[in-house]
Amino acid sequence: MNKGMLAVLNESERLLVLETEKSELAKLDEDGLIALHDRIRRARNKYSGQYRRGGASKVSAKGGRGKASQQNQRARDKAEAFEDALSRVSTALAAAARRSAAELKAERLEAA
C-alpha cells in the first residue's frame, strides 16, 4: 500500500487497511479473514456509493461527469484504498479456504 492512499484515510480507516498487510493476514485463521473481509467490503461499498452519488448529483451543475469527478476525489481515493485492501484479504481468504479444504479431504481419506 502506498503512502498516498493512506493519507486520505482517517485513523480508524488507516488501522483497518493496515490489518491487511501480509504479516497481519498471516496471523488470522479463516474465520478471522472472513470477518476482516466483511469489514473491508462494507467500507469499500460505503465510499464507492458516496463517490457515485456525489458525482451523479454534481453532473448537471458542473456540466459533465469529468468536471464533477474532480470535486469528488477524496471519496474515490478512499474507495480505491479499500478496493486494494479487499483484494489482499480476498487472496488470503482463498488460500486459507484451499488449505482447510485440503485438510478436510485428508481427514476424510484417513478415516476411510
Side-chain angles (χ1 to χ4, degrees):
M1 164 111 340
N2 68 33
K3 302 268 186 203
M5 281 189 174
L6 289 177
V8 299
L9 303 175
N10 66 36
E11 188 62 28
S12 63
E13 293 166 344
R14 190 174 307 121
L15 291 174
L16 180 59
V17 169
L18 290 176
E19 286 184 48
T20 67
E21 293 296 320
K22 197 170 198 166
S23 61
E24 295 297 316
L25 292 175
K27 298 175 186 176
L28 298 175
D29 63 349
E30 191 173 0
D31 292 333
L33 287 169
I34 290 171
L36 180 60
H37 189 269
D38 286 343
R39 290 172 35 222
I40 296 285
R41 187 171 21 87
R42 278 194 306 268
R44 189 260 336 245
N45 290 347
K46 173 185 174 181
Y47 289 109
S48 294
Q50 282 183 359
Y51 172 66
R52 284 197 293 276
R53 284 189 307 275
S57 67
K58 293 176 182 152
V59 167
S60 60
K62 295 292 179 179
R65 290 188 313 213
K67 292 177 184 176
S69 70
Q70 295 168 358
Q71 303 295 318
N72 209 7
Q73 183 70 34
R74 187 172 178 84
R76 179 174 54 198
D77 290 345
K78 284 187 175 195
E80 186 177 343
F82 283 113
E83 185 66 39
D84 288 347
L86 185 62
S87 173
R88 286 191 298 277
V89 176
S90 294
T91 301
L93 182 57
R98 282 192 300 273
R99 275 193 309 275
S100 65
E103 290 170 4
L104 182 61
K105 183 178 178 181
E107 287 176 11
R108 287 183 178 169
L109 289 174
E110 189 177 297

